[in-house]
């Protein structure tokens, strides 16, 4: 439940930032000229910081998007005013409206493969070639060739609704559909941040020509991308990649917050080495995920963590061993009764700490866990000593024959 709540929050954050940007923009009319000048320069500061963060965290998709955003912002700020160039806002906006969604959509299909790697350099080449092409198209002699960007693709007249030309509009909508579909499949908060950046672009292009509005939404885009990197890095540091449970680092933090009374349980899958030897490490990983998903649902106010390997820890803040015991018994029984379907053909018989039944193509195996539990008392006064006592109890549970709880 809590993970779902976190996922919803991280999906909403980029849009809250967009709303804040809009509220801020509505207040900018009351600002003085020097204050407005600072706002118009702020996208560069945000892009610089954002690029440094993306570089540090090796996030090429964000870095390249920030580079494109910087180039687009510099182009709309400087080019139209240049004498001799005769660059029109209308053409520039159409180019920006094509370049940003195109790159965001294309980069969404690439796996993270580094910035200065061959793949990263190819992407830099792709971005540079677009800049060269845009510069070439904006020359007065080629202006005619830009007319295709203003053509109406749809059989409806949208000019009274928005000043965005139909080519960039359709491209942005295609990019949005791609990102929403990717989010539906991956649930990655990164996709949401790019969806929000595309929305910021549409807001900017909807009413172009206002440099403060442009600056505010470019800044918002940069902040949205930075927030996504920081959010992901946080969850990477504090949650376990395989099982999705909070990691040992999160456990260490929670242990420091435990108060006067608490109980700690240590859980360990029985004969897991034999299981791996019999069914393979990949199947072992799958089963580990399923066991973790059962352990996550522990009742009685317990919170589960992956301690490491096939070991888990459950903290029961404010609870005694007798409070926690029925919930741990229930959990142990739930795991032992839950069947795991194996699709691959494992070699038959041999005791691998698991019972298996069914046909060759789909067999059901059963996994058991042993649990040791201990509480804070006069003998064990710190979370570390309580954990050690729970570990000794776990050892006793193994000695007793496994698939049991010891205190
Ligand atoms: P016991 O009942 O005494 O706990 O026996 P055991 O085999 O579970 O214990 P042991 O500590 O000897 O082995 C733990 C095994 O867990 C070793 C390793 O193969 C497996 N294991 C640990 N982490 C992972 C993992 O992330 N994925 C997979 N597939 N296996 C893991
Ligand atoms: Mg172990
Ligand atoms: Mg084990």
């Amino acid at each position: 439940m809590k993970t779902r709540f976190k996922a919803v929050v991280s999906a909403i954050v980029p849009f809250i930032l967009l709303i804040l940007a809009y509220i801020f923009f509505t207040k900018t009319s009351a600002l003085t000229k020097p204050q407005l000048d600072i706002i118009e320069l702020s996208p560069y500061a945000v892009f610089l910081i954002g690029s440094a963060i993306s570089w540090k965290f090796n996030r090429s998709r964000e870095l390249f998007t920030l580079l494109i955003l910087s180039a687009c912002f510099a182009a709309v700020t400087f080019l139209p005013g240049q004498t001799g160039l005769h660059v029109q806002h209308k053409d520039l906006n159409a180019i920006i409206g094509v370049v940003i969604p195109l790159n965001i959509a294309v980069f969404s299909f690439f796996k993270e493969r580094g910035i200065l790697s061959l793949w990263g350099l190819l992407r830099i080449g792709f971005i540079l070639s677009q800049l060269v092409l845009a510069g070439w198209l904006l020359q007065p002699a080629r202006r005619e060739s830009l007319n295709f960007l203003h053509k109406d693709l749809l059989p409806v007249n949208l000019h009274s609704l928005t000043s965005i030309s139909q080519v960039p509009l359709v491209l942005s909508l295609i990019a949005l559909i791609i990102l929403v579909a990717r989010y539906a499949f991956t649930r990655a908060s990164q996709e949401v941040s790019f969806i929000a950046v595309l929305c910021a672009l549409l807001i900017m292009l909807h009413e172009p020509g206002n440099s403060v509005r442009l600056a505010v939404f470019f800044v918002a885009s940069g902040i949205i991308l930075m927030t996504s990197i920081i959010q992901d890095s946080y969850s990477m540091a504090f949650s376990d990649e395989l099982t999705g449970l909070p990691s040992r680092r999160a456990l260490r933090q929670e242990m420091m917050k435990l108060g006067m009374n608490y109980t700690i349980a240590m859980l360990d899958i029985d004969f897991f080495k034999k299981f791996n030897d019999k069914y393979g490490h990949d199947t072992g990983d799958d089963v580990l995920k399923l066991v973790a998903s059962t352990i996550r649902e522990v009742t009685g106010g317990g919170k589960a963590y992956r301690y490491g390997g096939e070991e888990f820890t459950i903290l029961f803040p404010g609870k005694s061993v007798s409070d926690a015991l029925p919930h741990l018994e229930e959990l142990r029984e739930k795991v032992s009764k839950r069947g795991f379907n194996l699709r691959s053909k494992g070699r038959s018989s041999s005791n691998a700490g698991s019972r298996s039944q069914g046909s060759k193509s789909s067999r059901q195996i059963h996994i058991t866990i042993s649990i040791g539990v201990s509480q804070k008392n006069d003998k064990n006064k710190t979370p570390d000593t309580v954990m050690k006592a729970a570990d000794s109890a776990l050892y006793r549970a193994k000695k007793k024959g496994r698939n049991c709880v010891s205190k």
Side-chain angles (χ1 to χ4, degrees):
M1 199 63 198
K2 217 170 167 189
T3 4
R4 207 171 297 159
F5 176 72
K6 274 188 195 158
V8 170
V9 169
S10 63
I12 289 175
V13 166
F15 297 100
I16 292 177
L17 288 170
L18 274 188
I19 294 168
L20 290 178
Y22 190 80
I23 295 171
F24 179 74
F25 168 67
T26 58
K27 310 267 182 238
T28 51
S29 50
L31 295 180
T32 61
K33 173 86 174 74
Q35 287 171 327
L36 292 174
D37 286 345
I38 292 174
I39 291 177
E40 285 179 39
L41 280 178
S42 52
Y44 299 110
V46 170
F47 294 148
L48 215 66
I49 299 166
S51 303
I53 292 177
S54 318
W55 182 275
K56 196 81 195 138
F57 288 92
N58 200 30
R59 295 276 289 249
S60 62
R61 202 171 152 194
E62 281 80 1
L63 178 72
F64 294 140
T65 307
L66 284 165
L67 288 181
I68 292 164
L69 290 175
S70 323
C72 290
F73 183 71
V76 271
T77 315
F78 296 114
L79 291 186
Q82 298 295 314
T83 44
L85 284 179
H86 306 294
V87 171
Q88 289 179 16
H89 270 298
K90 193 178 102 178
D91 291 334
L92 206 49
N93 286 337
I95 290 181
I96 288 172
V98 166
V99 167
I100 296 177
L102 176 78
N103 285 275
I104 288 182
V106 168
F107 292 161
S108 76
F109 288 102
F110 294 131
K111 282 199 183 121
E112 181 56 73
R113 283 189 163 135
I115 293 157
L116 286 183
S117 59
L118 177 66
W119 279 95
L121 294 176
L122 278 174
R123 277 181 242 186
I124 293 172
F126 178 61
I127 295 169
L128 287 179
S129 57
Q130 291 173 76
L131 291 183
V132 171
L133 182 67
W136 184 76
L137 284 171
L138 281 169
Q139 285 177 5
R142 321 250 184 273
R143 201 59 50 75
E144 288 293 297
S145 53
L146 280 175
N147 284 342
F148 77 94
L149 290 179
H150 304 297
K151 283 232 168 70
D152 281 352
L153 299 177
L154 307 170
V156 278
N157 186 352
L158 298 175
H159 300 285
S160 56
L161 289 177
T162 177
S163 50
I164 309 174
S165 301
Q166 287 198 3
V167 174
L169 188 65
V170 168
L171 229 121
S172 301
L173 292 179
I174 294 173
L176 273 176
I177 292 168
I178 291 173
L179 294 183
V180 170
R182 289 187 62 85
Y183 178 67
F185 279 109
T186 62
R187 293 276 152 203
S189 61
Q190 192 186 25
E191 304 298 343
V192 183
S193 63
F194 282 98
I195 292 172
V197 170
L198 277 179
C199 293
L201 174 76
L202 290 173
I203 297 170
M204 285 187 271
L205 298 180
H206 174 63
E207 251 178 65
N210 182 331
S211 55
V212 177
R213 185 191 180 102
L214 277 178
V216 169
F217 282 97
F218 266 109
V219 166
S221 306
I223 292 176
I224 286 167
L225 294 178
M226 280 193 273
T227 316
S228 138
I229 297 175
I230 293 164
Q231 259 180 351
D232 284 359
S233 311
Y234 177 89
S235 65
M236 243 189 261
F238 289 96
S239 80
D240 171 57
E241 200 184 358
L242 180 73
T243 61
L245 281 179
S247 65
R248 190 157 167 172
R249 186 173 299 184
L251 170 67
R252 283 273 149 220
Q253 278 205 348
E254 279 311 303
M255 279 170 70
M256 286 193 284
K257 294 188 212 158
L258 290 169
M260 298 298 287
N261 297 309
Y262 53 87
T263 288
I264 299 179
M266 295 298 287
L267 295 75
D268 186 295
I269 301 180
D270 298 329
F271 299 119
F272 203 52
K273 190 173 177 331
K274 283 186 189 167
F275 182 90
N276 272 324
D277 292 346
K278 187 174 177 187
Y279 298 107
H281 204 270
D282 287 348
T283 309
D285 277 358
D286 288 344
V287 167
L288 205 54
K289 277 192 239 176
L290 289 169
V291 172
S293 68
T294 309
I295 293 175
R296 178 199 288 281
E297 282 159 18
V298 61
T299 49
K303 181 149 169 65
Y305 300 81
R306 184 176 183 197
Y307 184 77
E310 28 72 90
E311 293 174 19
F312 302 87
T313 305
I314 300 178
L315 299 184
F316 289 93
K319 300 281 188 288
S320 64
V321 164
S322 49
D323 292 332
L325 261 180
H327 301 280
L328 291 170
E329 266 301 340
E330 189 187 314
L331 183 66
R332 179 201 60 74
E333 203 178 317
K334 215 165 146 189
V335 172
S336 69
K337 287 198 171 144
R338 180 174 183 171
F340 301 101
N341 283 319
L342 285 190
R343 250 165 288 136
S344 58
K345 283 187 279 176
R347 273 171 280 126
S348 59
S349 73
S350 104
N351 179 13
S354 55
R355 288 167 282 128
S356 63
Q357 47 192 248
S359 68
K360 271 182 212 155
S361 55
S362 163
R363 59 172 61 210
Q364 235 198 16
I365 51 124
H366 290 265
I367 288 280
T368 62
I369 54 170
S370 300
I371 304 176
V373 59
S374 184
Q375 70 183 33
K376 189 195 170 210
N377 53 28
D378 291 342
K379 200 168 145 225
N380 302 309
K381 292 185 175 127
T382 66
D384 279 329
T385 51
V386 176
M387 189 183 245
K388 280 209 182 83
D391 218 25
S392 309
L394 171 63
Y395 181 73
R396 288 195 292 276
K398 293 276 179 188
K399 279 263 183 178
K400 261 203 277 179
R402 296 174 172 83
N403 190 19
C404 62
V405 184
S406 249
K407 53 180 181 172

